[in-house]
Amino acid sequence: AQRVTQPEKLLSVFKGAPVELKCNYSYSGSPELFWYVQYSRQRLQLLLRHISRESIKGFTADLNKGETSFHLKKPFAQEEDSAMYYCALTGGGNKLTFGTGTQLKVEL
Amino acid sequence: ETGVTQSPTHLIKTRGQQVTLRCSSQSGHNTVSWYQQALGQGPQFIFQYYREEENGRGNFPPRFSGLQFPNYSSELNVNALELDDSALYLCASSLLGISSYNEQFFGPGTRLTVL
C-alpha cells in the first residue's frame, strides 16, 4: 500500500529562518513525488514535482530513495510562505495519495 | 480559459439521503478526479474518469458513484449518506496523455455536512 507521512501538523518559524517540511513515503515501485500548497482562501495548487528538479518560490525538494523522503526546504522563510503544504505521490495514472499536511506559519 | 468550478459551494443533508455534486473541468482537459478531504486530513482519492469511463477507484464503497459527460464535466453521487461522509469534496481536472503524470488543477471544493 502506498502512504505519505507528514509528521508535523504545524511548523512555526520566524521570517528569514530556514524552513524544512518533512515528508516520508511508502511505495513499492518508483513513485513520482509532489508538493502541493494551499494559501488562505485559495484552492489547492501544485508547488513542485521531483522530476522537474526546479526551485519554485525559493523552495526545493530532493527525492531521497534510500530514506524514502521528499522534504521541502527553503533557506529564508517569507511571510507569504504561510500556508498549508501537502506532500503527495503517484504511482502513475494521475491518482494522487496525499499526506495529512503541515501548516506553515511564518512569524515576523 | 476558465478554471475548475464546483457546485454547490456547500450543502447540508441528513443521514440516508442522496447527494449529487458537480464539477466543470478546465477547458481542454479530458480527465477528472474526485477527492474527499475530511477535517484535518489530506485529500483522499475517490475515483477518476477519463473520456466518460471510470479509470481507477480508491477505497470507497459502491454508494460513491460518478459520471463524466461528453463536455468533460462530471458528477459525484453519494447514496445512503452517513455522518462520516461529512467532508470537503474536491474535483481536479487534467489532460491525460502519454506522460506518466499531468498536473491536476483543483476546484474550490464542495463542503458537505451530514446531520
Side-chain angles (χ1 to χ4, degrees), chain B residues 41-61:
Chain B
Q41 302 296 314
Q44 188 173 357
F45 176 73
I46 302 175
F47 45 55
Q48 180 184 92
Y49 278 81
Y50 170 62
R51 293 185 175 177
E52 303 176 57
E53 302 259 341
E54 188 177 289
N55 183 40
R57 188 179 184 92
N59 189 26
F60 280 81

Side-chain angles (χ1 to χ4, degrees), chain A residues 32 36 43 86 93-95 99, chain B residues 4 37 94 100-101 104 106:
Chain A
E32 283 200 56
Y36 275 79
R43 57 189 68 189
Y86 293 96
N94 273 27
K95 306 171 188 74
Chain B
V4 178
Q37 186 173 17
S94 58
S100 61
Y101 178 80
Q104 295 185 45
F106 284 82

Side-chain angles (χ1 to χ4, degrees), chain B residues 47 49 54 57 61-67 75-79:
Chain B
F47 45 55
Y49 278 81
E54 188 177 289
R57 188 179 184 92
R63 60 189 185 84
F64 285 78
S65 63
L67 284 172
E75 287 182 355
L76 164 65
N77 298 288
V78 187
N79 294 321

